[in-house]
Amino acid sequence: MEFVNLKFVRINNGNSCETDGSTLLDYHNLKMLEPIIVDDLLKLNNEEGNVLLYEQYLKKGFLLAPMRRRSEEKKTKTTNFPARVLLEITSKCNLKCVMCPRNVLKRPQIHMSKEVVLKCINEIDDHGVEGLWLYNIGEALLHPDFKEIFEHCQNKKNLGSIWLSTNGQSIDVEMMDLLIQSNLTFFNFSINAMKAQTYRLISPEGDYDILTSNFCKFLEKKKKFNRFGTTPWLRVQMVEQPQVITEIDLFLNEYAKKAEILSINMLEGFSQNVSQNVGYAKIRQHKLEKSCNRIKRDDCFIFSDGEVAFCDTDFNHEMSIGNIYNSTIEQIWSGSKHRNYELLNKQGRLEDIEMCRNCLDYDL
């Protein structure tokens, strides 16, 4: 669930509201609020009820409020290309977090070749998408050609909102400067804990002091370049899981004024393939109708070895719908395999698919 600092929500004239919100609700009460609707640039949707809700939160002096992102101008959707692409430029990572499906990854942990990455970006730009994620499983900043790949994106016009994420362990000052002064839309900083000892339970190979130090450096630079309160939005996140359940309010208190967006991510069960996550995922409230939000959003996952899937639950691509080394994205997306999964979802027949039958994350 995402929460926005109301100070940075943009209203009709495109400016953010001058507010000194000081009331910070705890997580339990915060997530009970109705979310305000904004677009990816945090511009407030101007529907009357949404504007009234936003004004109500301002009058109550709320610092944070839940938000739901919804673009006012949707990409003109064609039937043969995804709306959102998650391009896994690397499956390598310098951490092994306990909740991550990398712990049961069967496919190679490799960097996608620069040439293939650039080819994908060119095709994505040719068609136009709502968003491009330059990561999936893996730390994108570890790719040896990351800088060249990222700069290639700067010359494109149709990539939609560009997302990047880091675990904060290996980002240097030069990279911070590059990202802050770019057309990056969202930059995730995965904090995941509020105490060093808790962080070690989640990311045993990680260094909590390095993580928090790099976050502070990034925030200082964002302010130095006068980019605090504008893109790239600093989106600080943690995963709601048993180890940190008592630290979520500490997280909200610490980062409410240090980031534009805070996110408490639900712990995914990944079709019950990540055993540690299953119990917690089972107790979540689920929609009764099993209908996949990822298919509805038209998400496309391109893994570092070139295999393509419609869902991150298939992180070992056992139900691959194609490979970009021998087909274009358009050819794969318009192919019979993908069309069949779309049809089954529309017909309410996800139970026909073994992976989907076991899924606990279909409504995330």
Side-chain angles (χ1 to χ4, degrees):
M1 192 171 191
E2 289 184 308
F3 305 98
V4 62
N5 185 321
L6 290 173
K7 181 177 182 179
F8 303 119
V9 173
R10 302 179 181 192
I11 47 182
N12 289 334
N13 59 10
N15 297 319
S16 54
C17 180
E18 289 299 323
T19 177
D20 295 316
S22 57
T23 300
L24 180 59
L25 301 179
D26 61 26
Y27 180 52
H28 172 75
N29 288 299
L30 195 56
K31 66 183 180 180
M32 300 299 290
L33 297 177
E34 183 180 351
I36 59 171
I37 301 171
V38 297
D39 66 11
D40 283 358
L41 295 179
L42 300 191
K43 180 182 175 183
L44 188 71
N45 181 285
N46 60 10
E47 294 174 2
E48 183 179 0
N50 191 56
V51 174
L52 290 174
L53 182 65
Y54 169 70
E55 292 174 346
Q56 177 185 338
Y57 291 159
L58 290 182
K59 288 179 182 177
K60 291 184 176 181
F62 289 167
L63 177 58
L64 296 178
M67 73 172 191
R68 187 168 68 246
R69 287 179 288 104
R70 188 175 79 196
S71 297
E72 291 185 4
E73 296 181 6
K74 288 282 186 181
K75 165 182 114 63
T76 301
K77 182 70 182 76
T78 61
T79 58
N80 60 354
F81 208 79
R84 315 189 328 163
V85 179
L86 293 93
L87 181 59
E88 184 186 80
I89 65 175
T90 184
S91 50
K92 293 190 175 185
C93 190
N94 47 6
L95 294 184
K96 200 170 184 180
C97 301
V98 295
M99 67 287 189
C100 181
R102 293 185 72 258
N103 293 292
V104 286
L105 201 62
K106 299 175 184 177
R107 56 186 172 89
Q109 297 183 32
I110 57 174
H111 301 306
M112 182 181 287
S113 73
K114 179 186 70 176
E115 292 73 24
V116 174
V117 175
L118 299 186
K119 183 190 79 168
C120 287
I121 291 171
N122 289 341
E123 185 183 358
I124 293 166
D125 183 61
D126 287 342
H127 285 268
V129 291
E130 291 174 16
L132 171 64
W133 282 248
L134 287 172
Y135 66 95
N136 181 41
I137 293 175
E139 174 71 11
L141 298 180
L142 295 180
H143 195 292
D145 300 307
F146 176 81
K147 184 178 179 181
E148 186 175 347
I149 291 168
F150 187 74
E151 289 179 338
H152 187 72
C153 293
Q154 304 304 295
N155 301 318
K156 304 300 178 181
K157 303 296 184 183
N158 301 309
L159 301 179
S161 297
I162 303 175
W163 290 70
L164 188 63
S165 187
T166 184
N167 57 36
Q169 296 294 314
S170 58
I171 183 170
D172 57 30
V173 170
E174 181 182 357
M175 184 58 65
M176 293 179 189
D177 289 347
L178 173 67
L179 298 179
I180 290 170
Q181 299 179 88
S182 72
N183 66 353
L184 184 64
T185 313
F186 295 96
F187 187 48
N188 287 327
F189 230 101
S190 294
I191 298 297
N192 285 337
M194 291 304 298
K195 300 175 183 177
Q197 58 268 37
T198 312
Y199 187 72
R200 283 195 297 272
L201 295 176
I202 295 170
S203 305
E205 295 91 348
D207 188 311
Y208 190 68
D209 290 337
I210 290 176
L211 166 65
T212 52
S213 174
N214 283 337
F215 173 85
C216 290
K217 290 176 184 176
F218 188 88
L219 178 58
E220 288 170 7
K221 281 189 166 290
K222 203 166 188 286
K223 291 178 177 178
K224 175 185 175 182
F225 288 113
N226 200 29
R227 298 295 289 267
F228 192 59
T230 186
T231 57
W233 302 124
L234 183 51
R235 184 178 183 272
V236 185
Q237 64 184 30
M238 68 188 306
V239 178
E240 184 178 345
Q241 52 188 320
Q243 301 94 321
V244 296
I245 199 68
T246 61
E247 297 182 13
I248 293 179
D249 286 330
L250 294 175
F251 169 78
L252 295 174
N253 275 280
E254 178 66 24
Y255 292 102
K257 294 184 178 180
K258 294 181 178 179
E260 291 97 358
I261 301 170
L262 277 65
S263 182
I264 310 296
N265 297 346
M266 296 295 100
L267 184 63
E268 296 185 48
F270 296 99
S271 286
Q272 304 189 42
N273 287 314
V274 183
S275 57
Q276 171 165 310
N277 301 3
V278 172
Y280 203 74
K282 278 184 175 179
I283 64 174
R284 271 203 323 261
Q285 185 175 359
H286 297 88
K287 292 182 180 177
L288 294 178
E289 176 196 4
K290 181 164 275 192
S291 179
C292 180
N293 282 346
R294 290 167 175 84
I295 294 179
K296 288 180 180 177
R297 288 194 298 258
D298 219 8
D299 289 352
C300 173
F301 294 81
I302 305 177
F303 299 115
S304 57
D305 57 1
E307 299 289 339
V308 179
F310 63 86
C311 183
D312 61 346
T313 282
D314 191 19
F315 53 85
N316 280 317
H317 53 61
E318 294 170 355
M319 296 167 54
S320 173
I321 58 175
N323 192 298
I324 56 170
Y325 280 89
N326 49 44
S327 301
T328 65
I329 302 171
E330 180 181 12
Q331 288 169 340
I332 294 169
W333 213 244
S334 59
S336 59
K337 287 185 177 180
H338 177 242
R339 290 284 170 255
N340 181 55
Y341 292 131
E342 281 190 317
L343 181 61
L344 289 174
N345 191 52
K346 286 179 181 178
Q347 294 175 341
R349 294 173 54 202
L350 288 181
E351 296 293 330
D352 291 358
I353 309 169
E354 183 178 0
M355 181 186 76
C356 303
R357 189 183 309 131
N358 296 322
C359 185
L360 298 166
D361 309 317
Y362 56 88
D363 49 356
L364 293 183

